[in-house]
Amino acid sequence: MSKTYKWVAAILGGLLLLFLALVLFVRFYLTGELIAAWIEPPMEHYLHRNVILADARVGFRGFRVDGLEIHEQGSSAPLLKNEKLELRWKFKELLKGRIVIHTLVFTKPEITIIRNEDGKLNIADLLPQNAGSNTEPYSSKYGREEHAGVPLLISLLSVENGHLSFVDLTQKPQAKLEIRNLKSRINDFSASSPIPFQIEGQIVGMGEGSLAFNGTYNPADKRFDGNLSLKQVDLVRISPIIARERSDIFQQGHLTMETSLSAEGFDHFTAQGSLNLDKLKVKSEEKLSETLQVEADFQVDALPSKETLKVDSLNLVLNGQKAEIQGT
């Protein structure tokens, strides 16, 4: 056998032994308990929530987690219940002997957002206050040890085929809005600059209403800026959310809207765009209006907590009749 073939055989044999050693290392050393000990502490640290993993294992691109649940302390209802989570690592850091997670991919998560009776959202404290890496040891049920947690430098957070429920406890009875087939992407997950995001899904109701919202979120002042698209959304399902004191004002109708939207602190909204209200029926003083067809171009400023709506301009077409409206 020539020297060339011997060298090729030696190299292939070495690679095979290296692969087998890696498989044995992964099989016997990287147990589910150890992976959980790496993953749970940093997630609890950044989310300020209790994190429970049913099963964890290592894959080629990173860690895979089944049966993830995230709870507020003292709450039995999960903020997030997830079928599968992938935590993908940076290959450059692997070559340095470090595990650094940069991507989170949630598959079929069930997310519950609650506006509590005091008006605060149960996700208000989720975003980190400081950007950048935090390599300090995490205090957790695994103890305060150097290995108890891998650094999270999140550059992409993705949700696939999710289900979102928004529950408003400030209303009696409580109001609920559901979005299914939810897809989202949040890029450059830091607190030092506006975070780009993309969200889309179907709003549960009569018919298949759709939602698409693309823009940025600035954690410093809790401000959203983006473009919102709603198509054939059932007004009966969303009226308790947008009209708290008159949750039954819309008895029938579908909303289609395209708008540029800004929101500060989840309570101050400014918007400019166009809308269409199809087959609308409104309840006023226990009386039901005739069927209305509404088209409008608008520029508005809203403060829901004070039940205030400032109309800078509203060009309205109501059942064929035109009108221009301004005021508060």
Side-chain angles (χ1 to χ4, degrees):
M1 183 182 293
S2 67
K3 289 186 177 181
T4 301
Y5 288 123
K6 289 181 180 180
W7 277 107
V8 171
I11 292 173
L12 291 178
L15 291 175
L16 179 59
L17 289 175
L18 181 62
F19 176 76
L20 290 175
L22 181 61
V23 170
L24 291 174
F25 173 79
V26 170
R27 176 66 180 84
F28 293 104
Y29 177 72
L30 293 181
T31 63
E33 291 79 8
L34 179 59
I35 296 172
W38 284 347
I39 295 174
E40 287 185 7
M43 291 189 70
E44 290 182 341
H45 175 78
Y46 282 106
L47 298 175
H48 322 297
R49 299 294 188 277
N50 294 327
V51 176
I52 301 173
L53 307 180
D55 182 44
R57 59 193 183 278
V58 68
F60 178 73
R61 303 179 67 180
F63 300 116
R64 297 180 182 179
V65 173
D66 294 328
L68 170 69
E69 290 191 13
I70 299 174
H71 294 255
E72 286 188 282
Q73 292 186 356
S75 173
S76 59
L79 168 67
L80 183 145
K81 185 176 181 180
N82 193 76
E83 182 175 298
K84 183 175 72 173
L85 167 65
E86 293 182 55
L87 300 96
R88 298 174 182 170
W89 49 42
K90 289 188 173 183
F91 283 101
K92 289 183 178 179
E93 297 296 330
L94 283 179
L95 298 177
K96 301 176 184 178
R98 301 176 67 237
I99 297 176
V100 177
I101 302 300
H102 73 100
T103 297
L104 300 180
V105 180
F106 294 88
T107 302
K108 294 184 179 180
E110 297 179 11
I111 306 166
T112 303
I113 298 177
I114 300 174
R115 188 194 300 275
N116 293 306
E117 294 179 351
D118 60 3
K120 295 181 179 179
L121 295 173
N122 66 337
I123 60 170
D125 63 336
L126 281 183
L127 288 174
Q129 297 300 314
N130 299 302
S133 172
N134 187 345
T135 57
E136 293 295 323
Y138 304 111
S139 178
S140 75
K141 61 189 177 186
Y142 297 103
R144 192 173 174 83
E145 302 177 14
E146 292 296 333
H147 71 269
V150 296
L152 296 180
L153 300 178
I154 306 303
S155 58
L156 173 63
L157 188 152
S158 174
V159 173
E160 299 175 358
N161 197 21
H163 185 278
L164 172 66
S165 297
F166 175 75
V167 181
D168 192 347
L169 299 181
T170 63
Q171 301 187 50
K172 302 299 180 183
Q174 69 183 32
K176 186 175 183 179
L177 179 67
E178 295 183 71
I179 300 175
R180 62 189 179 193
N181 298 327
L182 178 69
K183 297 179 181 179
S184 71
R185 292 174 64 88
I186 303 177
N187 301 304
D188 189 20
F189 201 80
S190 67
S192 61
S193 60
I195 303 169
F197 66 86
Q198 299 173 325
I199 301 173
E200 63 180 63
Q202 279 74 49
I203 298 178
V204 175
M206 295 293 292
E208 288 293 332
S210 66
L211 158 76
F213 189 21
N214 304 313
T216 61
Y217 173 69
N218 190 336
D221 54 11
K222 297 181 181 179
R223 178 185 176 93
F224 285 97
D225 290 284
N227 297 313
L228 174 65
S229 175
L230 300 173
K231 295 183 179 179
Q232 289 297 304
V233 174
D234 182 11
L235 283 171
V236 176
R237 296 304 295 256
I238 68 171
S239 62
I241 305 298
I242 63 178
R244 299 180 189 176
E245 298 301 320
R246 293 289 309 279
S247 60
D248 63 343
I249 187 171
F250 297 117
Q251 295 291 303
Q252 176 183 297
H254 288 85
L255 167 66
T256 295
M257 181 171 68
E258 301 285 342
T259 180
S260 298
L261 175 69
S262 295
E264 297 179 15
F266 303 101
D267 190 50
H268 182 200
F269 300 87
T270 58
Q272 180 177 358
S274 62
L275 62 81
N276 179 283
L277 299 174
D278 182 46
K279 298 179 180 178
L280 175 65
K281 286 190 177 182
V282 179
K283 183 179 180 181
S284 177
E285 298 180 353
E286 303 304 321
K287 294 182 180 179
L288 196 61
S289 72
E290 62 178 303
T291 301
L292 305 174
Q293 186 72 30
V294 181
E295 298 178 8
D297 297 321
F298 60 87
Q299 184 173 343
V300 298
D301 189 320
L303 197 61
S305 63
K306 296 185 177 180
E307 299 180 17
T308 301
L309 175 64
K310 179 183 177 184
V311 180
D312 294 317
S313 67
L314 178 61
N315 299 314
L316 181 68
V317 180
L318 175 61
N319 285 0
Q321 301 295 316
K322 296 182 179 180
E324 295 183 5
I325 299 174
Q326 288 182 325
T328 301

